[in-house]
Amino acid sequence: MNFYILTLFPEMVEDTFHTSIMKRAAEKELISLTAVNIRDFSENKHLKVDDYPYGGGAGMVMQPGPVYSAYESIKEKAKGARVVYMTPQGKVFNQKMAEEFAKEENLIFLCGHYEGIDERVLEEIVTDEVSIGDYVLTGGELPSLVMMDAIGRLVPGVLNNDVSAEIESFHDNLLEYPQYTRPVTFHDKEVPEVLRSGHHGNVEKWRREQSIIRTLKKRPDLLADANLTKKEKQFLENLKRENNK
Ligand code: 6GU
């Protein structure tokens, strides 16, 4: 997976990206990041890339020329890549979208700043508009880092344990079950007996049930799209009935 990012703050993205698991994945050449500084394509001797909005109003708008030239500088290498514009007006990012984007070979992220980017260049190059939630940030850099982390960890080989990407939170639209490690007793609380029993089937069943219990308690909205067996649906109905007593 090759990520490209068009930004006014390349160091911010590169430094954060090249940390921990993504750093190791980049060293293994499973993923790569190319940050393009939009300012390098300024058409102005002061390296300005923004100007006042036509029609008036607060703030500055990023000019179309430098954004387009930055895009052109990588478009051959990133052949056929989707161009993801990070904006609070976009579709709200979720795990399903991460899984879809993870199938791509190249992805280009476009990060705006100030009051936004001239509409004409957006119309020309953007294929997807994505937001990371209903709040406003100062730029698209943090959102694109969020997306690259969520997508990068799905690339085969990036996580040590290749099953862990599947069984974590949001697999089957359920939250993750509780985890325990040594010691057996901490502050008078014991690790559940079933996890120490060595009975694989019972452990699996207990974990699935805990996932359902947790999802019902913390994120009941997820259950509408959860992948449950007939038995698990019955278990969920019993839980709801118990809760209503
Ligand atoms: Cl993608 N950009 C900005 N500027 N703010 C956001 C966002 C994106 N997602 C949530 N808030």
Side-chain angles (χ1 to χ4, degrees):
M1 169 68 71
N2 304 304
F3 296 121
Y4 296 83
I5 181 163
L6 313 179
T7 172
L8 290 172
F9 301 96
E11 340 69 49
M12 171 185 182
V13 179
E14 282 173 329
D15 293 351
T16 311
F17 184 81
H18 290 109
T19 303
S20 183
I21 291 173
M22 294 306 142
K23 177 187 184 177
R24 208 181 51 226
E27 285 165 356
K28 290 201 273 179
E29 296 187 1
L30 297 167
I31 57 176
S32 74
L33 173 65
T34 303
V36 179
N37 191 343
I38 295 169
R39 198 173 299 284
D40 290 346
F41 299 88
S42 168
E43 295 159 347
N44 171 293
K45 66 175 185 287
H46 305 291
L47 302 186
K48 245 175 58 116
V49 291
D50 61 334
D51 210 330
Y52 296 99
Y54 274 113
M60 303 291 270
V61 176
M62 284 170 68
Q63 295 173 289
V67 171
Y68 190 73
S69 301
Y71 166 72
E72 275 201 306
S73 77
I74 51 151
K75 76 162 183 235
E76 298 304 327
K77 230 176 21 162
K79 207 141 194 69
R82 288 159 78 169
V83 178
V84 183
Y85 178 43
M86 306 309 307
T87 166
Q89 297 181 18
K91 185 173 171 197
V92 178
F93 190 55
N94 62 25
Q95 190 64 26
K96 214 169 242 125
M97 289 162 72
E99 285 162 17
E100 280 305 310
F101 282 119
K103 295 174 186 165
E104 303 285 332
E105 189 53 39
N106 301 301
L107 278 175
I108 301 173
F109 295 94
L110 171 59
C111 301
H113 252 266
Y114 317 115
E115 297 308 305
I117 302 179
D118 187 289
E119 191 69 18
R120 293 166 295 179
V121 68
L122 298 178
E123 286 170 0
E124 224 163 285
I125 69 174
V126 171
T127 60
D128 300 81
E129 293 192 351
V130 181
S131 164
I132 61 161
D134 292 336
Y135 40 84
V136 181
L137 303 169
T138 55
E141 285 75 15
L142 290 170
S144 53
L145 282 162
V146 166
M147 282 189 70
M148 289 190 287
D149 193 276
I151 296 165
R153 65 186 285 287
L154 298 176
V155 171
V158 168
L159 300 184
N160 289 328
N161 180 354
D162 54 23
V163 290
S164 65
E166 290 173 36
I167 60 180
E168 276 172 24
S169 292
F170 293 113
H171 182 57
D172 286 343
N173 239 40
L174 293 174
L175 299 183
E176 198 183 0
Y177 47 78
Q179 298 274 22
Y180 300 88
T181 185
R182 286 189 287 187
V184 165
T185 306
F186 172 75
H187 290 190
D188 292 335
K189 289 183 183 129
E190 290 217 333
V191 173
E193 171 65 33
V194 59
L195 299 179
R196 295 178 278 139
S197 68
H199 191 300
H200 220 72
N202 288 350
V203 169
E204 283 311 301
K205 179 164 177 284
W206 182 86
R207 286 179 164 171
R208 249 336 249 195
E209 289 175 357
Q210 290 297 313
S211 284
I212 296 167
I213 291 167
R214 275 201 161 182
T215 311
L216 179 62
K217 191 167 161 199
K218 300 184 187 191
R219 287 293 307 276
D221 57 298
L222 293 177
L223 288 169
D225 293 315
N227 246 327
L228 301 179
T229 65
K230 220 174 198 159
K231 270 194 174 149
E232 288 169 345
K233 280 180 188 155
Q234 192 60 57
F235 178 76
L236 174 60
E237 289 315 309
N238 289 341
L239 274 180
K240 288 183 183 168
R241 203 169 313 121
E242 286 300 312
N243 289 348
N244 288 333
K245 269 183 191 164

